[in-house]
Amino acid sequence: MNPSSLAKSQELLRSLRLKESAEQLPVIVKEAEESECSYLTFLTHLLEYEKKRREEKQLEKRLKWAAFPFHKTLDEFDLKEQQSLSKKHMNQLKEMIWLEQMYNIIFLGPPGVGKTHLAVGLGLEALYQGYKVMFITMGELIQTLKTEEISRKSQTKLKRIRKADLVIIDDLMFMAINQNEANLFFHLINDLYNNASIILTSNKAPKEWGELLGDPAITTALLDRILHRAEIIHLNGDSYRMKYRSTIFN
Ligand code: ADP
Ligand code: MG
């Protein structure tokens, strides 16, 4: 391996924005020399490496953007602990046909039954299948919408939400929101309607959402859009957190 021509090749690769290949070039050349492979095989190895690294980095970036609160997959969800969801339904959810058809999914139930875990698990599954996913809590979403005009960070976040294939809104209606906030929320849902799937989690049933939203007209319009194509999944049982909590005394 000639060091100066190696350095020159690396520089050329970098200037062509093939940064990953530039870094890996010494290794790939060494392997090629050792295995006495053909020129074409060498070139294929180099290009395959660049492609693989780009895909990995792209996935990392999409994972970061998705802003999941934790990384828990559907495989880590124990169906035996959550009798309300059958294996058959879980498999149907995993297939992501609902996402293709822009169905919304609503997970309802008391705290600790696995609503957020399932939402994140489905989000991860969608992300690995190539969809753009965004996770946000209702509280954070309202805050982001309210500061859209003045905050660059909020603008970036909302841009990603509006471009996503799947938006997960966690803990819907946890707190009562005022008229202006309800309006902003409605407009966002309206933008997403027909463009993306939404997963909502809430410990309140849709009929109670109205009380928290205040305005009956907005509530009707909102429910209309969210429930038009939606699967409502009621989760119940005891809190998994409480059942498996760790304690100090034993
Ligand atoms: P919720 O959003 O309904 O309040 P979470 O999804 O946050 O509940 O679940 C609370 C904790 O319990 C999480 O750490 C979650 O991973 C775990 N958990 C809940 N249900 C299950 C389950 N069926 N299998 C495995 N872990 C579960
Ligand atoms: Mg939750």
Side-chain angles (χ1 to χ4, degrees), residues 70 72 76-82 109-119 170-171 201 235 238-241 244:
F70 49 72
K72 284 198 180 175
E76 289 170 74
F77 192 81
D78 188 354
L79 282 177
K80 284 195 273 334
E81 296 285 345
Q82 184 43 264
V113 291
K115 301 183 296 295
T116 305
H117 184 149
L118 285 168
D170 198 32
D171 276 330
T201 81
L235 302 171
D238 296 332
S239 166
Y240 187 94
R241 266 193 215 105
Y244 292 104

Side-chain angles (χ1 to χ4, degrees), residues 85 89 92-93 98 102-108 198-200 206 226-234:
L85 191 64
H89 285 162
Q92 261 180 302
L93 289 176
W98 57 272
M102 280 186 285
Y103 264 76
N104 300 326
I105 295 182
I106 303 172
F107 289 115
L108 299 176
I198 305 171
I199 296 181
L200 299 175
I226 293 176
L227 302 176
H228 178 204
R229 283 184 308 266
E231 191 63 53
I232 300 180
I233 300 168
H234 292 269

Side-chain angles (χ1 to χ4, degrees), residues 35-97:
S35 66
E36 296 182 19
C37 72
S38 69
Y39 298 127
L40 196 57
T41 306
F42 160 75
L43 183 63
T44 310
H45 283 168
L46 188 69
L47 295 174
E48 272 173 354
Y49 180 80
E50 179 72 33
K51 184 158 184 274
K52 185 175 114 240
R53 280 300 296 143
R54 279 191 191 186
E55 282 167 1
E56 282 168 3
K57 279 169 73 182
Q58 187 63 24
L59 183 67
E60 276 167 34
K61 199 154 95 184
R62 290 192 302 120
L63 255 174
K64 202 172 142 217
W65 281 2
F68 294 118
F70 49 72
H71 191 286
K72 284 198 180 175
T73 64
L74 293 177
D75 289 337
E76 289 170 74
F77 192 81
D78 188 354
L79 282 177
K80 284 195 273 334
E81 296 285 345
Q82 184 43 264
Q83 302 288 345
S84 329
L85 191 64
S86 68
K87 193 157 182 163
K88 185 177 156 216
H89 285 162
M90 175 64 117
N91 287 336
Q92 261 180 302
L93 289 176
K94 276 188 194 170
E95 280 170 18
M96 298 287 150
I97 296 168

Side-chain angles (χ1 to χ4, degrees), residues 76-172:
E76 289 170 74
F77 192 81
D78 188 354
L79 282 177
K80 284 195 273 334
E81 296 285 345
Q82 184 43 264
Q83 302 288 345
S84 329
L85 191 64
S86 68
K87 193 157 182 163
K88 185 177 156 216
H89 285 162
M90 175 64 117
N91 287 336
Q92 261 180 302
L93 289 176
K94 276 188 194 170
E95 280 170 18
M96 298 287 150
I97 296 168
W98 57 272
L99 184 49
E100 261 323 292
Q101 296 175 343
M102 280 186 285
Y103 264 76
N104 300 326
I105 295 182
I106 303 172
F107 289 115
L108 299 176
V113 291
K115 301 183 296 295
T116 305
H117 184 149
L118 285 168
V120 169
L122 283 173
L124 281 168
E125 189 75 34
L127 196 131
Y128 286 125
Q129 289 190 24
Y131 294 101
K132 290 197 278 303
V133 184
M134 265 302 282
F135 179 103
I136 194 159
T137 63
M138 177 75 168
E140 198 189 342
L141 178 61
I142 296 294
Q143 204 49 39
T144 309
L145 285 166
K146 275 165 69 176
T147 51
E148 184 171 10
E149 303 273 289
I150 50 164
S151 154
R152 180 70 61 84
K153 216 170 137 198
S154 298
Q155 285 159 14
T156 309
K157 211 179 276 177
L158 285 164
K159 211 160 137 195
R160 284 179 194 160
I161 289 176
R162 291 192 177 103
K163 276 208 258 170
D165 304 301
L166 172 63
V167 180
I168 302 170
I169 307 174
D170 198 32
D171 276 330
L172 193 75

